[in-house]
Structure formats: structure tokens, C-alpha cells
Amino acid sequence: LDGDMKTDYVFNEDVLTKNQIEDDKYLERCVKDAYGMCLDAYPDSGNGNGRVDQKCEQYLSYLRYYKTNVFYLPGKMIPEEIILKSNYVDKMYKEILNQYRIINASNAKEVIREISEFDHGDGLHINDTISVLANKWSQEESILKTELIDMINEIFNK
């Protein structure tokens, strides 16, 4: 599960045309759209360029893996951002939260560090802080929690 790296790419092999399935450049772009980066294909090399059919099959393998094994946390959020959305955090650490105009992936880890320093006097207990906040978050009802449970159930039912 990942959070803020979601690309919104959907792979559906059933709608690919024969030309698309045999076009290594097209499939390479699909892989980049899915993963957010280029991934290399390593075909056998006959004339130094590699076999296009093998490149295509490797790119299709990347895309099939993506479809069945890559999942994202709800709302394109990182875990720290999700646990900071709990009612518990809002109630207990309002002064810290109020120091930020918005809490997102770029500053959520910093907010967790500040909460850790508030609770423990230093930043050496960040993992303990995350564990406590995650536990408190898990005990609350929220749309994010429902979405996450549904996603996990879908993964395990595949």
C-alpha cells in the first residue's frame, strides 16, 4: 500500500488492441503512467536492440503486476496524514495542528515529530507516537477507515 504516489492509471488488458499489445513504445508509456517512472525491459539481444516481442511481454508483465498487486491508501494520503485526521489528534493536539494552515504529505511527518516531542520531550519516540496515534485512529469510525477496510478485504479476497 502506498499513499501519495497514486497515478490514477487503470490497466485493462482486455481493451488493448493487437497493435497496442505489440507496440513496445506504447506499453513503455503505459508502464510509466502506472508506476510514475520508467521501468526497463531486458529482452534477449539479437542485434543490440533487443527483441520487441520480449520487451512487450515484459511491459505487459509489469502492468499485470500493477493491476493485481499495487494498491493505494484512500485519498492519496500517506499513513501519517491519515492518522492525523483522527478526532483524538484534533482534540489532544489542537495547538500543534493550529500551527499549520493545512496538513498534507509534505508536512505530516513533521507534525508527528512535534507531537512526539510534546509527549516525550524529544523526537526519539516517533515510532511509539505513530503506534499510539494509529491505535486511536483505528478505534474511531471514519470514511477513510471504511475505505481502507474495504480495500484490504478486496486484496485478501483476490
Side-chain angles (χ1 to χ4, degrees):
L1 291 173
D2 197 355
D4 58 339
M5 299 302 292
K6 186 170 184 177
T7 62
D8 292 325
Y9 179 80
V10 176
F11 175 65
N12 184 353
E13 190 169 359
D14 296 335
V15 301
L16 293 179
T17 66
K18 183 178 185 306
N19 286 342
Q20 290 171 324
I21 289 173
E22 295 174 353
D23 183 347
D24 63 322
K25 299 300 181 203
Y26 171 79
L27 293 173
E28 182 178 25
R29 284 191 307 275
C30 290
V31 167
K32 184 176 182 185
D33 290 344
Y35 288 90
M37 60 187 285
C38 292
L39 298 176
D40 293 325
Y42 297 100
D44 294 337
S45 182
N47 59 6
N49 294 328
R51 288 183 33 200
V52 170
D53 63 319
Q54 288 180 341
K55 281 184 183 180
C56 291
E57 191 52 44
Q58 287 179 14
Y59 287 134
L60 285 168
S61 291
Y62 285 140
L63 293 166
R64 290 173 187 135
Y65 180 88
Y66 174 85
K67 180 178 181 176
T68 59
N69 294 288
V70 177
F71 299 92
Y72 297 93
L73 294 169
K76 293 187 179 183
M77 290 187 268
I78 62 173
E80 294 85 353
E81 193 177 358
I82 290 173
I83 63 176
L84 288 172
K85 297 219 175 276
S86 77
N87 294 327
Y88 174 80
V89 169
D90 190 48
K91 178 180 168 187
M92 298 301 293
Y93 305 103
K94 190 167 258 334
E95 289 182 25
I96 293 172
L97 299 178
N98 286 340
Q99 294 175 30
Y100 295 86
R101 187 175 63 80
I102 189 166
I103 295 174
N104 56 30
S106 66
N107 62 10
K109 291 178 189 219
E110 174 66 20
V111 175
I112 296 282
R113 186 190 58 73
E114 286 189 38
I115 290 172
S116 181
E117 288 176 355
F118 178 81
D119 283 348
H120 302 284
D122 58 41
L124 302 175
H125 301 277
I126 291 174
N127 289 336
D128 297 327
T129 300
I130 290 171
S131 293
V132 168
L133 297 180
N135 183 34
K136 296 291 187 182
W137 176 84
S138 72
Q139 295 173 23
E140 297 177 6
E141 292 302 320
S142 72
I143 292 171
L144 285 172
K145 179 180 166 185
T146 301
E147 288 177 13
L148 185 58
I149 290 169
D150 290 346
M151 182 183 305
I152 291 169
N153 284 331
E154 180 184 332
I155 291 168
F156 283 111
N157 289 328
K158 284 192 173 196

